[in-house]
Amino acid sequence: MPDAYYLQLTEQLRYLITQHATQWEGRLPAERALAERFSTTRVTLRQALAQLEGEGLIHRSNRRGWFVSPARLVYDPTRDAGFNDYVSAQGRQPRTAVLKLETRSHLTAARALGLPDDQPFHHIRRRRYVDDRAVLVESLWVVPERAPELLDIYSGQSLWGLLRGRWGHHLANRSIRMVSEALSPLDAEELLVTPGAAGLNICRAIFDDQQRPIEYDEEHWLHDSLCIRVELSGQQ
Amino acid sequence: MPDAYYLQLTEQLRYLITQHATQWEGRLPAERALAERFSTTRVTLRQALAQLEGEGLIHRSNRRGWFVSPARLVYDPTRDAGFNDYVSAQGRQPRTAVLKLETRSHLTAARALGLPDDQPFHHIRRRRYVDDRAVLVESLWVVPERAPELLDIYSGQSLWGLLRGRWGHHLANRSIRMVSEALSPLDAEELLVTPGAAGLNICRAIFDDQQRPIEYDEEHWLHDSLCIRVELSGQQ
DNA sequence: CAGTGGTCTAGACCACCCA
DNA sequence: GGGTGGTCTAGACCACTGT
């Protein structure tokens, strides 16, 4: 048993939360109320809350309060099932907000796809929700030749579905990178969380079956909102 | 530009660290010294350090101080290259310490492999280092029939190399799960970090080409020490 | 406007690491 | 045994949220 008080507090809060989550409707009492209940200061209380936040049990919405985190979304970044499909398949409600549509160059995308630095892209930035909680923001950089009128028709649907259905692309080869991160002030603001909150960054470069570059994307997830799962068969 | 002082501090420290990393030999000055240099308190200074820790730029060794983090290890959990091989291939020095060897049952492993709850396993617990920094602890649960004398001969080498070379197993099918976590007090102690430090948990269940269960393992990585990369070709 | 979380101060004591 | 990080107190003010 650990002796630091904030670690004991963590356990007591964990118990309290599992007991009262439904009664509280997923929202924790105010920090000052909790600090008083446990006869400690807000600093120590927040240290305990931060522990539970790191575990993914609770999260906070910037300046709004602490909330019990829902179950993680199971996600396989190696498959191209659309967000809407796999969220629905898990009995959750998906939603997408388009934040930006533009055409411009982007160095990182160009390098990831092996194109010249000044290569223009169709850029889509969108925010995606599960059960009305914003869980990720994402930027997609699509090679314009592969999807000429993309920006005119795009309104939040599955991009990969469009690429396959409308333009007949085979998304055959992909290079995926995942790293933990602290959310940038911009990403944090768009996700309504405090800057520096823990996140997971997933980047993908996608090529077709003739190794032609199609698309590059960067996802920024809240760290507690997903569980990555990959199923593989056959020798590697 | 953010206005909170600790965020400005974060930027100043980031600059200071990149400038003086080699001069400091990777170790930051004492918190009190830094707080005085920036005319603030340790609390605020630590808030800034925690930001950089979340980004993976620096880390701390419990009660020892703050250190500049080395480059992340690139790791593909879908391949069965041994730890020693891919660490060496990146010009780094691998090392493994065996913490425990025993035979006993383990509920999680049994369920992941579809075996009875009381199924016994050969259990190996090991700690692995990159350039003398402990970066992960790991527990492996091997079905004894697949590797009968494993515990007698094991001394830190690649387990998958053994399974393939000595017992001729084909590690054909694997189910992989990755989630962010806060390191448990035990894992944190074994990694010499503070309890609750951010980590990444990777679990795998491995079956052979006839769907017979071989092995289940759980890895606990320091969040800042790896970059997961997966390369895929062919339609999914 | 009241209440909330976010930020910050100026201390303090302790356990532990290292010389 | 001196210095370190880890923990904790008892306040304060501010920006923002929600009513």
Side-chain angles (χ1 to χ4, degrees):
Chain A
M1 203 56 173
D3 46 1
Y5 183 55
Y6 82 94
L7 288 174
Q8 299 172 34
L9 237 191
T10 301
E11 297 314 311
Q12 295 181 48
L13 285 170
R14 190 200 312 284
Y15 178 75
L16 204 62
I17 288 165
T18 54
Q19 292 297 307
H20 298 304
T22 55
Q23 164 189 336
W24 290 339
E25 294 177 339
R27 178 177 189 153
L28 273 63
E31 291 179 0
R32 287 171 176 82
L34 287 173
E36 188 175 13
R37 155 131 57 152
F38 291 103
S39 306
T40 185
T41 50
R42 275 180 69 210
V43 177
T44 302
L45 176 83
R46 280 168 65 88
Q47 210 174 347
L49 291 173
Q51 288 285 316
L52 298 174
E53 185 184 31
E55 294 176 22
L57 181 65
I58 59 176
H59 66 276
R60 49 187 153 166
S61 190
N62 202 3
R63 290 183 189 281
R64 241 173 296 259
W66 293 87
F67 300 85
V68 180
S69 292
R72 293 173 188 252
L73 188 71
V74 179
Y75 173 49
D76 184 344
T78 68
R79 302 195 172 265
D80 53 7
F83 179 82
N84 296 311
D85 295 333
Y86 63 76
V87 173
S88 302
Q90 292 171 50
R92 318 284 287 272
Q93 188 64 43
R95 185 158 65 88
T96 300
V98 178
L99 303 177
K100 186 175 277 188
L101 293 170
E102 64 179 355
T103 299
R104 67 176 186 84
S105 62
H106 184 63
L107 196 56
T108 309
R111 302 222 165 138
L113 293 172
L115 294 167
D117 287 356
D118 61 353
Q119 165 74 41
F121 294 97
H122 288 332
H123 174 215
I124 297 173
R125 187 165 176 87
R126 58 191 183 187
R127 174 171 45 211
R128 307 195 111 168
Y129 304 79
V130 173
D131 295 337
D132 285 323
R133 176 187 180 200
V135 296
L136 84 130
V137 287
E138 167 178 38
S139 273
L140 303 110
W141 309 87
V142 184
V143 178
E145 289 73 28
R146 304 279 173 271
E149 65 273 40
L150 174 63
L151 298 192
D152 299 325
I153 61 168
Y154 187 76
S155 66
Q157 65 273 52
S158 162
L159 177 70
W160 289 9
L162 269 178
L163 288 170
R164 204 167 22 203
R166 185 182 177 100
W167 288 287
H169 293 305
H170 296 283
L171 310 177
N173 301 286
R174 54 202 80 184
S175 169
I176 303 166
R177 190 183 69 103
M178 288 173 266
V179 297
S180 65
E181 65 173 352
L183 293 172
S184 74
L186 173 63
D187 295 333
E189 187 185 348
E190 291 183 340
L191 290 171
L192 302 177
V193 298
T194 196
L200 193 68
N201 175 221
I202 303 181
C203 299
R204 266 181 304 231
I206 311 286
F207 302 82
D208 69 8
D209 46 11
Q210 295 160 57
Q211 281 299 336
R212 290 183 306 184
I214 307 258
E215 182 257 329
Y216 171 76
D217 63 86
E218 293 189 353
E219 302 174 357
H220 300 274
W221 290 77
L222 298 181
H223 90 283
D224 68 348
S225 60
L226 82 165
C227 166
I228 292 167
R229 182 177 286 283
V230 179
E231 306 283 342
L232 289 175
S233 56
Q235 296 290 110
Q236 292 296 306
Chain B
M1 203 57 173
D3 46 3
Y5 182 56
Y6 82 94
L7 288 174
Q8 300 173 33
L9 237 191
T10 301
E11 297 315 309
Q12 295 182 47
L13 285 170
R14 191 198 313 284
Y15 178 74
L16 204 63
I17 288 166
T18 54
Q19 291 297 307
H20 297 298
T22 54
Q23 165 188 337
W24 291 340
E25 295 179 337
R27 177 176 190 155
L28 274 65
E31 291 180 0
R32 287 171 177 83
L34 287 172
E36 189 175 12
R37 155 130 57 151
F38 291 102
S39 306
T40 185
T41 50
R42 276 180 69 207
V43 177
T44 301
L45 175 84
R46 281 167 65 87
Q47 209 174 349
L49 292 173
Q51 288 287 315
L52 298 174
E53 185 184 30
E55 294 176 20
L57 180 66
I58 59 177
H59 66 274
R60 50 187 152 165
S61 189
N62 201 4
R63 290 183 188 283
R64 240 171 300 256
W66 293 87
F67 300 85
V68 179
S69 292
R72 293 174 190 252
L73 188 71
V74 179
Y75 173 49
D76 184 343
T78 69
R79 302 193 173 266
D80 52 10
F83 179 81
N84 297 311
D85 294 334
Y86 64 77
V87 173
S88 302
Q90 292 172 50
R92 315 286 287 271
Q93 188 64 43
R95 186 156 65 88
T96 301
V98 178
L99 302 177
K100 186 176 278 188
L101 292 171
E102 62 179 356
T103 299
R104 67 178 187 84
S105 62
H106 185 63
L107 196 56
T108 309
R111 301 223 165 137
L113 294 172
L115 294 168
D117 287 356
D118 60 354
Q119 166 75 40
F121 294 97
H122 287 332
H123 173 217
I124 296 174
R125 187 163 176 88
R126 58 193 183 187
R127 174 171 45 209
R128 306 195 112 168
Y129 302 80
V130 173
D131 296 336
D132 284 324
R133 177 187 180 203
V135 295
L136 84 127
V137 286
E138 168 178 39
S139 274
L140 304 109
W141 310 85
V142 184
V143 178
E145 288 73 28
R146 304 279 173 270
E149 65 273 38
L150 175 63
L151 297 192
D152 299 325
I153 62 169
Y154 187 74
S155 65
Q157 66 273 52
S158 160
L159 177 70
W160 290 9
L162 269 179
L163 289 170
R164 204 169 22 206
R166 184 181 177 100
W167 288 287
H169 293 305
H170 296 284
L171 310 177
N173 302 285
R174 53 200 82 184
S175 169
I176 302 167
R177 191 183 70 103
M178 288 174 266
V179 298
S180 66
E181 65 173 351
L183 294 172
S184 73
L186 173 63
D187 295 334
E189 187 185 347
E190 292 183 340
L191 290 172
L192 302 177
V193 298
T194 196
L200 193 67
N201 175 220
I202 303 181
C203 300
R204 268 181 303 233
I206 312 285
F207 301 82
D208 69 9
D209 46 12
Q210 295 162 56
Q211 282 297 335
R212 288 183 306 183
I214 306 260
E215 182 259 327
Y216 172 77
D217 63 87
E218 292 189 353
E219 302 174 358
H220 300 274
W221 290 77
L222 298 181
H223 89 284
D224 69 347
S225 60
L226 82 166
C227 167
I228 293 167
R229 182 177 287 283
V230 179
E231 306 283 342
L232 287 176
S233 58
Q235 297 290 111
Q236 291 297 308

